[in-house]
Amino acid sequence: VRKHSEHVKMFKNKGKDETSLRRQRVEVSIELRKAKKDEQILKRRNIFIDLTEESPSLRKDRADEMIIQPSLEKIVEAVNGDDTQLQLLATQATRRILSRHKDPPINQIIKLGIIPKMVEFLGRADNAALQFEAAWALTNIASGTSEHTRAVVEAGAIPAFISLLSSPHMHISEQSVWALGNIAGDCPLYRDALIAHDVIPPLLALVSPTTPIGFLRNITWTLSNLCRNKNPCPPLDAVQKILPVLIFLLQHEDKDIISDSCWAVSYLTDSCNDRIQIVVETGILPRLVELMDSPDFIVMTPALRAVGNVVTGTDQQTQEAIDAGVLTVLPRLLRHTKPVIQKEAAWTLSNIAAGPSQQIQQIITCGLLPPLVELLDKGDFKAQKEAVWVVANFTTGGTVDQVLELIRSGVLKPLLNLLLAKDSKTIMIILDTISSLFLAAEKLGETEKLCLLVEELDGLEKIEDLQNHENDMVYRAALNIIEKYFSGEETTDLEPQTGQDGLYDFSVEKQDFNF
Amino acid sequence: LLLLQRVLLLVASDVDALCACKILQALFQCDHVQYTLVPVAGWQELETAFLEHKDQFKYFVLINCGANVDLLEILQPEEDTLFFVCDSHRPINVVNVYNDTQIKLLVKQDDDLAVPAYDDIFRDEEDEEEDSENESDGSEPLEKRRRFEEEVIERTMKRRQRREWEARRREILFDYEQYEYHGTSSAMVMFDLAWIMSKDLNDMLWWAIVGLTDQWVQDKITQMKYVTDIGILQRHVSRHNHRNEDEENSLSIDCMRIAFEYDLRLALYQHWSLYESLCNSCYTSSSLKLWSVQGQKRLQEFLADMGLPLKQVKQKFNSMDMSLKENLREMIEESANKFGMKDLRVQTFSIHFGFKNKFSASDIVYATTSLMENIEKEGPETTNFIKALDSLSRGNLDKLHQGLDLAKKQLRAIQQTVASCICTNLVISQGPFLYCSLMEGTPDVKLFSKPVSLCLLSKYLLKSFVCSTKNKRCKLLPLVMAAPMDVEQGTVIMVGIPPETESSDKKNFFGRAFEKAAESTNSRTLHNHFEMSIIELKTEDRSKFLDALISLLS
């Protein structure tokens, strides 16, 4: 008798080997048969193969490898030859190899040296099929690593694709949009090269109320890539040309289009205050706040990101976001089931809490303290860290009354609990916040009361324990609070000893690691 | 195996299960494991027992029940509940096979389970995600995107492949679950466990033998499997019993010794008269066709051929002349050969308690079965079970003797019922199977409301019918048998058994067929027995159920 797990393993492997072997053999023979059949088809009609005429079996990607696959040498030969028909077949074959689902051999294709030819085919206005196949193949090559994209760009594909944007064949111009998106997404350098080649006017011209949705999605994505990346950020005039179209797209009903437009806006606002200003001036904030409340996760996420970026700006820019209603949506987002949303919402709130006391007052008025305390208590840890920042900023910038309101809302208990966190940076922020709270209490002459509260909430115990923390800063901050507010009857005899020999050495050793 | 925690033992009502239970109890005692024993006669009782005890127990041992259904689905246990399943019912439910955390199957390693490969019946979730890979993960859009082959076609292809996979899965599971059969005896599996732990005792070995013999008497395993397993046990027997051989004369009264022997396929003959045994053993009675006048004549001829005086033959076997007994087996065999009974000899074991008491393994099986299915009420439901269990201990000879008496009654009842069914042509061909229904009021009909007894009757009847009929096609048919179960509730018990052929693989398709037939006719059936091929059915629904069964199997 054996335990059954071992037993099963034996069976599982046994069964697997036998059946998979068998399956393989069958499959090979089917493929061979298919291969023969398709060869005949190709031979018989030695004419233009229209895409729509293809038999479905030709399109199966697994079958591809066996079916029409002429050897790579044959492809090279055909592409470089004079027979247009063979060029088309070879380009199509290349495109097929590159669009199979697993491991497209991009490197191998690049090494064949046929990319310049493919780029040349883009200009064959007399042969739309060839243009299309070449555009698709090049799109897939440019979708690889930076090196792959470079191979396409250096073959001169940028101007060729830009002029194809105006092709009379929609599928060709769509394929070009896609290819240009891949190039723009690679790096700021190529992005700006496209802009310098004047990609924006013909691209924007494709956006119209009659553009099919699939096509429009591609355009939106490419536009978002033209807004993407910093160091440097995209040229100002380009942004100013794109923005009105983005605002138009944000009104669309398709959620993929809205999502990508929001991402584009979030890229544009992830920048200096001047750039934020350009976006704010378009008056798009109310729409973004509305989209923050969308039931679609793919819309909500980038909208929240964009608005969050805006409130990193000036007090005035932040006020515009508040006026657009961001504080009325945030409570729901702080309570969202997805940790990512909780975190982003808390981050946004922390930046508003960093503002002047009038804005802090609006936080209180809009009822954000209860969800904040909940998040601090039970949220995802990353979100809790952001919530700690909210409290810290609030305590620093708020009036004594506002801080009192914060304490009354029950923030202290979850805040003190987080002193058990593993993250020293968070602990430091909490200790600093506690110090600020004591300063406020001192002003009111309520130090005793706060001491009692902290003790009641088991905070003293935790702060005392932090005197054993490996991080020197944490240790000092904790010690400082204990000495200042809780050293009533306690003897401080122990402190100098530990402070001098043991810990001093320790801190020197570890300093680099911690900060 | 199980430490410190109290264990709940759920044991089915068959002799093999009782034997496995005895071995496990001895092991528990040896390791000081505390346990509670609950006998379960069917699925309902199993469920009730589980519900009653699930709060107090984490470890459950199931003997001869539970392997062939999805236990987690049926019992909905907490996640920390652990089931150890030692069950000879096959096929094992695939979920049980591949559950690594809550279900531990005790299976003999060389049993051919033919379980479908994991990948053929379970599909990992990730395969399905692909369809929605781009949806709602909320992360930033990709910087670059490759264009794949036409995605619509891709997706339909994927869907088609999935459909094909599912169809194949159904087919595989159908093939796998179609036939019900039995694997190695649970008592033998349990003995193996004891042996591996070096805790095997001669008593345990005897229980293993009785467990295997039960499978043979109930016709649950093939002749091949029986002989193989006998061989395995024989090695253990010589290991355990060789030491005593030269000191045989010095055996004390409480000493036990197991011996391998070629014995006769005559039920209980050492505790009966040879004549009674010949008349009431399935093999001899069906071969000689004892239900007919011709048959009775043949029996006389047979006895004459052996040269045994009728007076001696009708005497208690114990009181027969010693001189006659000496070469009895050889004599009987020789004559039996002449009368077409070539397989009267069978490999089995016997046990000696001191000088006086000798039992063959099949004697114990008959006795224990009769105690378990005793129809005379003697207290609560579990009384029979406990009594049967006790009779397996060597200290309880009185219970064993009581069981032997009941067994004789049972065999006589079977024999008489078979004779009357055949003489009154109660066995009818329904096309795809033979059918026989016992009427209310038939003598001993109450006895056959019990599953094991009804199964025994069915096997005897089918064998006898095959010997009696001249219709060659009928000889190859399976048999469905029905008997009144509960008159007040208007129910019958129904069993289906595979055809009686020499090369029979003992695989039974009636379990599935009954399910289907009940489903298609909305018959009120109860699939409560651990054997899927035994069901309870409302008497009024019987005819539509049978019609459906006929058309299903035609």
Side-chain angles (χ1 to χ4, degrees), chain A residues 470-487:
Chain A
E470 55 172 8
N471 185 305
D472 193 41
M473 300 263 289
V474 170
Y475 152 72
R476 281 172 202 283
L479 186 65
N480 188 37
I481 293 173
I482 300 279
E483 276 186 339
K484 250 176 146 170
Y485 305 105
F486 294 98
S487 57

Side-chain angles (χ1 to χ4, degrees), chain A residues 1-5 7-8 10-12 15-16 19 23 59-62 64 95-96 98-101 104 132 136 139-140 142-146 149 175 178 181-182 185-186 218 221 224-225 228-229 260 263 267 297-298 301 305 338, chain B residues 96-101 103-115 117-120 130 133-151 153-154 157-158 160-161 168 188-190 192-193 196:
Chain A
V1 183
R2 275 278 183 86
K3 246 187 63 191
H4 109 106
S5 57
H7 199 76
V8 162
M10 196 184 83
F11 271 104
K12 205 172 154 182
K16 207 177 200 171
T19 48
R23 218 178 297 148
R59 296 196 176 198
K60 280 207 231 164
D61 57 51
R62 199 182 312 145
D64 281 347
R95 179 268 288 175
R96 283 212 177 96
L98 290 167
S99 47
R100 71 183 185 203
H101 262 276
F132 175 71
W136 185 345
T139 301
N140 285 3
S143 76
T145 63
S146 284
T149 313
Q175 196 57 55
W178 193 325
N182 280 341
D186 185 67
N218 271 325
W221 171 73
S224 80
N225 270 356
R228 200 167 182 162
N229 292 321
D260 279 357
W263 280 110
Y267 301 145
F297 192 55
I298 60 164
T301 308
R305 176 77 62 90
K338 299 229 180 190
Chain B
N96 290 344
V97 172
Y98 288 112
N99 180 300
D100 225 9
T101 50
I103 309 252
K104 308 287 176 196
L105 296 169
L106 290 159
V107 184
K108 239 180 125 99
Q109 208 182 359
D110 44 6
D111 263 7
D112 183 14
L113 299 178
V115 178
Y118 182 86
D119 292 335
D120 285 340
E130 274 188 50
E133 60 187 337
N134 295 325
E135 276 178 28
S136 69
D137 66 343
S139 56
E140 276 190 57
L142 295 170
E143 280 160 355
K144 297 176 185 176
R145 293 149 55 219
R146 195 148 60 89
R147 177 168 180 179
F148 297 114
E149 281 291 337
E150 292 306 304
E151 285 176 11
I153 293 173
E154 284 280 321
M157 286 263 298
K158 216 170 271 172
R160 195 197 306 155
Q161 276 169 4
R168 196 172 121 78
M188 276 188 73
V189 172
M190 211 51 98
D192 244 28
L193 185 71
I196 285 167

Side-chain angles (χ1 to χ4, degrees), chain B residues 14 16-17 22 55 62 116 194 232 296 317 337 358 373 416 466 506:
Chain B
D14 65 77
D16 180 37
K22 286 300 268 187
D55 296 330
L62 277 64
I232 293 170
Q296 289 295 333
F317 186 80
N337 271 330
K358 185 194 171 196
E373 299 210 325
Q416 279 158 13
V466 168
K506 311 291 179 194

Side-chain angles (χ1 to χ4, degrees), chain A residues 99-365:
Chain A
S99 47
R100 71 183 185 203
H101 262 276
K102 275 183 187 157
D103 315 318
I106 300 183
N107 276 326
Q108 259 176 290
I109 300 288
I110 291 176
K111 281 198 193 110
L112 298 180
I114 55 174
I115 293 183
K117 267 296 193 184
M118 299 270 163
V119 173
E120 184 193 315
F121 295 160
L122 293 179
R124 292 279 195 83
D126 57 326
N127 193 337
L130 186 58
Q131 283 183 310
F132 175 71
E133 293 294 351
W136 185 345
L138 290 169
T139 301
N140 285 3
I141 294 171
S143 76
T145 63
S146 284
E147 203 185 316
H148 298 154
T149 313
R150 195 175 68 224
V152 174
V153 171
E154 286 179 353
I158 291 179
F161 273 125
I162 290 178
S163 61
L164 277 187
L165 287 177
S166 318
S167 160
H169 305 282
M170 198 191 276
H171 66 293
I172 294 177
S173 88
E174 183 174 1
Q175 196 57 55
S176 307
V177 168
W178 193 325
L180 291 166
N182 280 341
I183 296 171
D186 185 67
C187 60
L189 190 70
Y190 286 163
R191 176 199 67 199
D192 292 344
L194 289 177
I195 293 170
H197 275 93
D198 243 353
V199 73
I200 292 172
L203 187 59
L204 295 183
L206 294 172
V207 179
S208 83
T210 56
T211 316
I213 286 192
F215 193 177
L216 208 51
R217 285 180 188 154
N218 271 325
I219 297 170
T220 313
W221 171 73
T222 297
L223 281 173
S224 80
N225 270 356
L226 286 170
C227 297
R228 200 167 182 162
N229 292 321
K230 298 198 272 192
N231 307 317
C233 48
L236 186 60
D237 59 328
V239 172
Q240 274 165 334
K241 276 183 213 154
I242 292 174
L243 260 173
V245 179
L246 279 183
I247 283 155
F248 168 78
L249 291 170
L250 276 174
Q251 310 300 328
H252 207 278
E253 57 200 8
D254 181 78
K255 60 181 182 185
D256 290 321
I257 292 175
I258 300 176
S259 175
D260 279 357
S261 308
C262 283
W263 280 110
V265 177
S266 83
Y267 301 145
L268 295 176
T269 48
D270 181 14
S271 192
C272 57
N273 293 352
D274 295 346
R275 288 297 173 92
I276 293 177
Q277 189 57 32
I278 293 167
V279 175
V280 170
E281 276 168 12
T282 60
I284 194 62
L285 278 173
R287 175 64 178 159
L288 286 176
V289 169
E290 184 188 336
L291 293 172
M292 271 170 66
D293 211 11
S294 159
D296 289 314
F297 192 55
I298 60 164
V299 173
M300 168 195 280
T301 308
L304 174 58
R305 176 77 62 90
V307 175
N309 286 341
V310 169
V311 298
T312 63
T314 64
D315 288 350
Q316 184 48 43
Q317 288 163 350
T318 306
Q319 190 58 47
E320 300 243 16
I322 295 174
D323 294 343
V326 63
L327 289 175
T328 58
V329 179
L330 278 180
R332 268 192 296 286
L333 302 189
L334 289 170
R335 290 182 171 120
H336 200 274
T337 51
K338 299 229 180 190
V340 206
I341 298 289
Q342 292 177 8
K343 192 194 91 183
E344 289 274 330
W347 169 70
T348 305
L349 186 59
S350 78
N351 281 322
I352 302 174
S357 63
Q358 301 90 298
Q359 288 178 358
I360 291 180
Q361 190 55 45
Q362 279 179 291
I363 291 178
I364 298 173
T365 315

